[in-house]
Amino acid sequence: MAMSKGNGLPVPDDIIYKILLSSPLYSSLKATLLTCKQFYRVFQSHPNSVVRAVAYNITGPALPQALECIRHPFVPVHPRSLLRVSLSDPGDLETLISAPITPPETHQIVANSKIVKRLEDMFSFRYIDRTISTSQLSSSESRAFCIAVYRLMLYGAIADLGAWIHQESDPELRGDLITLSDNREDTEKGNKMFYCFSTPELLRLHSVTVFLKEILCFCARIYGYADEIYDLATVAGPARILNGFGNQDRDGLQLLDDISYFFRLEDPETLASLSSSPLLRILDLRNVEPPSGFAHWLSVSSRASERNSQCDRCQETLDFGAHSRSTFTEISNGECYRLHITYQHKYGPQHIHQYLKGNLRFSSFEISAFIDENKEFGATFLLQMWNDLWRLDLVQQQPKDQRFPHTLPDWTEDSYLCDVCFTHFLSENLWLWWRHIKSSSKTLKQDCCYGFNCELQVKSALHAEDFNHLCEQTQVDNL
Ligand SMILES: [Zn+2]
Ligand SMILES: [Zn+2]
């Protein structure tokens, strides 16, 4: 490439061009361009190649699919959309993909790539390596996974669940702009898209769909929806499912409500066209049996390990909530996207007192002392508690709680625990840690003979304050 010399900088234009091409993000490209006008001049000579190179740096080799999922002619055009590419032949996807990237498209590329990356990280954590929160897929596995997610994103955009529901539920729009059958036609277009994929690609798409279903089930775990609604994970699309996971009380609930809308319609034809059955139908036509159970994840990575997704203690599934020192370290560093909601609601210093032993958790005096004393730990709370319990050898010093099955192995410092086992661990051990904190600050009073079982500590703040209840019961009859 011919580059002009004498730009006033000690580096030639072609080096500046290479620097611009290697910008990892659009924000860093912008910052580089603002440093001096020579950089901006070089950018203006080759804006399209620089913008495309940065898009590649963001999405990796799945860039064609990333562009396809925002430019595909089947994706509905919304009135506010500025990013349509005008094509003389909408069937020519290569032309469509190679067209220059517009500024509004850069925003969508960045937003979509965050969704894809988070899903890849979550998949890797769950099935490949739970000790690390960022993806450990190989570059070829990562590429294949990202392509599958972008394709499901495209499918979700074509089906356009949100617009469909909006139009169906608004009497002014119903039967006017788009009818149910028109929408079904759009979805059928999306279904036909699957026919051109190779069988390994379809199997991977199906496995990623099953992974999206798992996330949807996780969002719905406390609401008790019928199992069939999870078949609509494909049409809900990766973006809505991940948003639902990120804000389960608001976006998650809204998504589940939208999906269950189709079941209230009781229109089997619509349900069949929306569910994940098109993928299965095509595989069936090709005489291919899709994997079941854990074998799904082997079509994404040969290193997928069932052990990685199981609780070390009870062998039940970890879901997305493995509790371990590495997870607590992530939370401490503010990096744990997977669990931030669970931790805010259940295990932060403001809420975790519900796992104090016996009647301690009902004692207003103990609860407010616990919150006041521990709020300064903030996000580091769990890591601090976990480290103290093991460093001071507190876990093994007490009789086990008879309520929990003792056929399970003992607690160990490096365990990865499911949510059920972790709450058992807290019920057995949190009070010991709290006693250690109070004893360190010399605020422990004389022991009450009814210990943590004392009922009077709940009724009388004065009694709760005058005696220590962080101890075993030594007198049999209770108050
Ligand atoms: Zn467990
Ligand atoms: Zn007492």
Side-chain angles (χ1 to χ4, degrees), residues 448 454 463 469:
C448 167
C454 172
H463 174 76
H469 291 94

Side-chain angles (χ1 to χ4, degrees), residues 311-318 408 416-422:
C311 171
D312 281 334
R313 194 158 186 258
C314 71
Q315 314 298 313
E316 289 294 317
T317 175
L318 285 170
L408 294 177
Y416 282 76
L417 300 175
C418 69
D419 210 40
V420 172
C421 286
F422 184 56

Side-chain angles (χ1 to χ4, degrees), residues 162-179:
W164 189 340
I165 290 168
H166 176 64
Q167 282 154 5
E168 273 303 302
S169 56
D170 185 336
E172 286 190 17
L173 293 172
R174 192 184 303 145
D176 186 15
L177 294 177
I178 295 180
T179 66

Side-chain angles (χ1 to χ4, degrees), residues 448 450-451 454 456-457 463 467 469 479:
C448 167
Y450 300 105
C454 172
L456 191 55
Q457 65 175 323
H463 174 76
F467 289 87
H469 291 94
L479 290 174

Side-chain angles (χ1 to χ4, degrees), residues 1-18 20 29-30 32-50:
M1 178 175 294
M3 288 285 177
S4 65
K5 292 179 180 170
N7 59 21
L9 294 173
V11 284
D13 281 1
D14 55 344
I15 299 292
I16 294 176
Y17 179 64
K18 283 182 181 159
L20 298 181
L29 172 66
K30 190 176 170 191
T32 309
L33 295 181
L34 289 171
T35 54
C36 71
K37 58 185 174 195
Q38 282 82 353
F39 277 75
Y40 189 68
R41 183 178 49 73
V42 173
F43 170 72
Q44 284 208 305
S45 311
H46 315 279
N48 293 339
S49 57
V50 173

